[in-house]
């Protein structure tokens, strides 16, 4: 009985032992052979915008006990993206990883500017060992264009204003571009485009680069109030862009100062006072606000005042009147003096040179006559007394 059962029992025992050995081997670490290297990154799926750079840190892990030489390659998956696989700041194609150790590499991907929105798959391979699949989600539709962005495209000012606009020219293409810069404005406008502080007609930009530029627009002297469009273009051989600037001219400013009789001369006695009627005329197309009256070059000891000294507003084409009160010094000698009168607003000013003649008083005139008469009488007396001798 035992003999009959011995052979089957022995066979069964052998099968059980074989199963135990296989199970225990399955739970052991990988041997130092093919398949012991693992590629790992915590960021297997990232999002990026066109033109951005995506960086993946990749660990090369040797689960074996012997040193492994690991070749590395990149599979673009049919996508024409620029990439760089580096370790220690240099490009790498192969690593030596000690058993149980880890080496790190970095994968740098450049998202093209001209690309469709969607998901893109790539792989870092260690041939014969492992493969790491990566995904980049492009968050928006890419473009192959040039952009001219203006900080503030609409500005307002009077006719003497130089309108200055700040802009950024961006090259959203994959190649270096040389841009011709031009501005179109109404006749008489002086428009200059500046980069790095100099007037330019063209600039060169590397792919993905940008440059700050400024546009200065000065209206003609006799410009009318209104809104003026100034298109600015940047054109290369393969792309172009345009920005439209707007200058709102509130009106021209003009002021004239004169007297009510258009005479710029008067007279005054020494120590006396003279009132002169002044007329201020707004010769522009915009109102003049807060026009103040002052004087310059006043002779020593003289006083000049105005009544009123400030005119609140003068409408275009209208006039306002005021008085200049000139008081001369009592020590003033006879002769001509010049007093400069000024009318000024925040936008414009005007001056008028008033010639003031100082005359002697009548009293001193009679004194002079009496002195002359006394001299003549004295000479006559002397002639009569001594003339016969």
């Amino acid at each position: 009985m035992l003999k009959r059962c011995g052979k089957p029992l022995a066979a069964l025992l052998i099968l059980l032992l074989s199963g135990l050995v296989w199970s225990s081997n399955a739970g052991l670490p990988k041997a130092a052979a093919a398949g012991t290297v693992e590629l790992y990154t915590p960021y297997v799926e990232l999002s990026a915008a066109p033109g951005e750079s995506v960086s993946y840190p990749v660990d090369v892990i040797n689960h074996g006990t012997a040193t492994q030489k690991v070749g590395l390659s990149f599979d673009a998956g049919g996508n024409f993206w620029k990439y760089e696989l580096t370790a220690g700041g240099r490009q790498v194609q192969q690593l030596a990883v000690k058993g149980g150790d880890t080496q790190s590499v970095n994968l740098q991907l450049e998202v093209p500017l001209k690309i469709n929105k969607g998901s893109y798959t790539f792989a870092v391979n260690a041939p014969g060992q492992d493969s790491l699949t990566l995904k980049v989600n492009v968050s928006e539709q890419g473009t192959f264009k040039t952009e001219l962005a203006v900080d503030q495209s609409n500005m307002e000012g009077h006719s003497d204003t130089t309108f200055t606009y700040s802009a950024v020219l961006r090259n959203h293409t994959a190649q270096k571009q040389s841009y011709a810069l031009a501005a179109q404005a109404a006749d008489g406008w002086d428009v200059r485009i500046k980069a790095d502080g100099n007037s330019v007609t063209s600039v060169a930009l590397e792919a993905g680069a940008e440059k700050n530029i400024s546009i200065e627009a000065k209206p003609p002297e006799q410009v009318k109030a209104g809104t003026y469009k100034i298109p600015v273009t940047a054109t290369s051989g393969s792309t172009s862009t345009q920005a439209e600037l707007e200058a709102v001219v509130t009106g021209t400013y003009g002021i004239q100062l004169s007297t009510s009789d258009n005479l710029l001369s008067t007279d005054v006695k020494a120590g006396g006072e003279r009132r002169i009627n002044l007329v201020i005329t707004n010769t522009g197309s915009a109102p003049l606000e807060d026009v103040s009256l002052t004087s310059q070059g006043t002779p020593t000891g003289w006083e000049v005042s105005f009544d009123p000294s400030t005119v609140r507003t003068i409408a275009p084409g209208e006039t306002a009147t005021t008085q200049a009160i000139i008081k001369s010094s009592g020590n003033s000698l006879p002769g001509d003096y010049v007093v400069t009168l000024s009318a000024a607003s925040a936008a414009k000013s005007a001056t008028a040179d008033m010639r003031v003649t100082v005359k002697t008083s009548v009293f001193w005139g009679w004194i002079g006559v009496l002195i002359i008469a006394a001299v003549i009488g004295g000479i006559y007396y002397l002639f009569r007394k001594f003339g016969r001798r």
Side-chain angles (χ1 to χ4, degrees), residues 36-52:
T36 61
V37 173
E38 178 188 0
L39 300 179
Y40 169 79
T41 182
Y43 313 113
V44 294
E45 185 173 346
L46 295 175
S47 295
E52 287 188 343

Side-chain angles (χ1 to χ4, degrees), residues 163-194:
F163 298 87
T164 303
Y165 306 85
S166 297
V168 180
L169 181 63
R170 297 186 176 96
N171 180 6
H172 289 310
T173 75
Q175 294 89 31
K176 179 179 179 180
Q177 303 287 343
S178 181
Y179 295 101
L181 305 175
Q184 300 295 327
D187 291 343
W189 282 71
D190 181 14
V191 182
R192 299 176 185 271
I193 301 175
K194 293 187 175 182

Side-chain angles (χ1 to χ4, degrees), residues 120-133:
Y120 296 82
T121 302
F122 309 91
V124 177
N125 297 321
Q129 298 284 354
D130 196 11
S131 180
L132 179 62
T133 301

Side-chain angles (χ1 to χ4, degrees), residues 9 60 83 95 122 130 148 153-154 202 233 249 269 296 345:
L9 287 172
V60 183
Y83 76 93
L95 290 173
F122 309 91
D130 196 11
L148 182 60
S153 60
N154 177 284
S202 65
T233 58
V249 180
K269 294 179 181 179
Q296 296 88 36
S345 69

Side-chain angles (χ1 to χ4, degrees), residues 330-367:
N331 297 325
S332 298
L333 298 175
D336 291 338
Y337 296 80
V338 176
V339 177
T340 301
L341 308 177
S342 174
S345 69
K348 275 287 186 179
S349 65
T351 60
D353 290 331
M354 179 66 63
R355 184 167 62 92
V356 182
T357 301
V358 175
K359 296 183 176 181
T360 56
S361 64
V362 175
F363 172 77
W364 289 107
W366 282 110
I367 293 296

Side-chain angles (χ1 to χ4, degrees), residues 146 171 173 176-181 203 234-241:
T146 297
N171 180 6
T173 75
K176 179 179 179 180
Q177 303 287 343
S178 181
Y179 295 101
L181 305 175
V203 293
T235 306
S236 70
S238 58
T239 179
S240 65
T241 186

Side-chain angles (χ1 to χ4, degrees), residues 173-257:
T173 75
Q175 294 89 31
K176 179 179 179 180
Q177 303 287 343
S178 181
Y179 295 101
L181 305 175
Q184 300 295 327
D187 291 343
W189 282 71
D190 181 14
V191 182
R192 299 176 185 271
I193 301 175
K194 293 187 175 182
D196 302 321
N198 300 315
S199 295
V200 296
T201 58
S202 65
V203 293
L205 290 180
E206 298 290 341
E210 64 181 39
K211 179 173 282 294
N212 294 319
I213 64 173
S214 64
I215 302 98
E216 296 180 357
K218 187 174 182 179
E221 186 174 343
Q222 300 300 323
V223 66
K224 294 181 179 179
T227 300
Y228 296 84
K229 305 289 185 180
I230 307 173
V232 178
T233 58
T235 306
S236 70
S238 58
T239 179
S240 65
T241 186
Q242 176 177 304
E244 187 173 75
L245 309 179
E246 189 174 78
V248 180
V249 180
T250 55
T252 58
Y253 288 91
I255 187 172
Q256 187 179 66
L257 177 63

Side-chain angles (χ1 to χ4, degrees), residues 52-93:
E52 287 188 343
S53 178
V54 182
S55 182
Y56 289 94
V58 178
D59 290 337
V60 183
I61 307 169
N62 184 358
H63 291 291
T65 58
T67 299
Q68 291 287 312
K69 288 185 178 180
V70 182
L72 296 173
S73 64
F74 178 72
D75 182 3
N79 303 303
F80 298 99
W81 291 30
K82 291 182 179 180
Y83 76 93
E84 192 173 48
L85 197 61
T86 60
R90 295 180 178 274
Q91 292 187 356
V92 64
Q93 293 82 35

